[in-house]
């Protein structure tokens, strides 16, 4: 089956990686579907990300910028809501996951409603790997989700996304999405993908981790009190 596809890319200080990432994404999508869009949000970058986007000449590209940094969670949720095609494919703006990885996820989208790309060999510092392991274990214990990489890229059906309401304001939005898909009985699968060396900006900082952890716990406590 041929689907229409929205690719969503949250960008923060990604002036170096975005040109090739968007160009490759456009080429990949041409081979998959005649109906697609590439949505990029510049989350108040302090480098030349905005200027780079303005120079990109792709008819299927839509981008806009935040005047103030909203963080990864709010930016990603905004992109989910703006996507208009049958399938939504998320990519990081730093280029550590290439758009060609969609070919590993696509074969499973007929059977499942969300397919997550698992970064088996992550090119990040050991501290980030430990943080990820702990967080995924916490999500498994609190939300009974047998998933190993909830914050990775995903390919999902918009028709299913439209049936839930995302409330998260932090990077917990990925786990909330998985939890609500699971509660609705929507199928979720994981497949291994390639993670490339590069610079991951902000994901492992206390400024990101602490609000995400707090929201993860508060959301769980609210569920328990119902």
């Amino acid at each position: 089956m041929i689907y229409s596809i929205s690719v969503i890319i949250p960008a923060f200080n990604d002036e170096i990686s975005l040109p090739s990432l968007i160009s490759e994404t456009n080429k990949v999508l041409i081979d998959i579907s005649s109906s697609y869009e590439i949505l990029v949000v510049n989350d108040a970058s302090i480098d030349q990300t905005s200027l780079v986007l303005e120079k990109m000449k792709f008819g299927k590209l839509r981008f806009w910028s935040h005047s103030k940094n909203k963080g990864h969670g709010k930016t990603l949720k905004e992109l989910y809501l703006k996507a208009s095609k049958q399938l939504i494919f998320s990519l990081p703006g730093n280029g550590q996951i290439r758009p060609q990885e969609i070919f590993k996820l696509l074969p499973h989208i007929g059977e499942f409603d969300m397919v997550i790309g698992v970064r088996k060999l992550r090119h990040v510092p050991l501290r980030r790997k430990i943080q990820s392991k702990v967080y995924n274990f916490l999500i498994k214990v609190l939300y009974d989700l047998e998933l190993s990489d909830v914050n990775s890229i995903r390919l999902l059906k918009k028709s299913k996304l439209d049936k839930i309401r995302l409330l998260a304001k932090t990077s917990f939005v990925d786990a909330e999405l998985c939890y609500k898909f699971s509660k609705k009985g929507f199928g979720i699968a994981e497949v291994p993908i390639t993670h490339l060396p590069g610079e991951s900006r902000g994901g492992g900082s206390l400024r990101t981790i602490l609000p995400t952890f707090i929201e993860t716990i508060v959301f769980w406590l609210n569920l328990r009190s119902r």
Side-chain angles (χ1 to χ4, degrees), residues 32-72:
I32 297 175
S33 175
S34 60
S35 178
Y36 66 88
E37 62 183 0
I38 304 170
L39 307 181
V40 183
V41 172
N42 168 31
D43 190 24
S45 298
I46 57 175
D47 64 357
Q48 298 300 309
T49 292
S50 179
L51 183 60
V52 165
L53 287 171
E54 290 173 5
K55 291 181 178 180
M56 301 296 289
K57 301 296 182 182
F58 295 108
K60 303 289 188 178
L61 172 65
R62 291 172 50 206
F63 64 88
W64 58 98
S65 298
H66 293 156
S67 58
K68 294 182 179 180
N69 183 268
K70 294 185 178 182
H72 179 78

Side-chain angles (χ1 to χ4, degrees), residues 90-221:
S90 62
L91 279 174
N94 62 17
Q96 286 190 274
I97 301 176
R98 307 312 294 181
Q100 290 84 353
E101 297 301 311
I102 193 175
F103 292 114
K104 298 176 183 177
L105 278 57
L106 267 174
H108 305 278
I109 201 63
E111 181 180 358
F112 297 93
D113 301 301
M114 180 194 300
V115 186
I116 300 171
V118 179
R119 299 164 290 183
K120 288 295 185 181
L121 181 60
R122 293 189 64 183
H123 292 275
V124 294
L126 178 61
R127 171 179 55 85
R128 291 290 306 279
K129 293 179 181 179
I130 294 173
Q131 289 170 349
S132 179
K133 288 286 187 183
V134 171
Y135 182 69
N136 279 285
F137 178 75
L138 182 65
I139 295 299
K140 178 180 180 179
V141 171
L142 295 183
Y143 297 100
D144 193 28
L145 287 173
E146 292 294 333
L147 300 173
S148 56
D149 200 0
V150 293
N151 288 124
S152 184
I153 66 166
R154 68 202 65 232
L155 180 68
L156 59 93
K157 295 174 180 174
K158 178 175 168 54
S159 61
K160 303 302 184 183
L161 178 64
D162 288 343
K163 296 182 184 296
I164 67 174
R165 182 186 175 202
L166 294 173
L167 302 174
K169 298 178 181 179
T170 69
S171 293
F172 173 68
V173 67
D174 289 316
E176 180 193 11
L177 178 62
C178 292
Y179 171 75
K180 290 185 173 179
F181 259 56
S182 178
K183 292 299 289 184
K184 287 283 188 180
F186 302 154
I188 305 175
E190 289 186 312
V191 298
I193 61 167
T194 300
H195 189 252
L196 300 174
E199 184 179 357
S200 182
R201 288 167 283 277
S205 68
L206 186 62
R207 178 185 173 188
T208 299
I209 292 173
L210 186 57
T212 300
F213 175 78
I214 292 173
E215 190 167 39
T216 300
I217 299 300
V218 169
F219 188 88
W220 176 74
L221 290 174

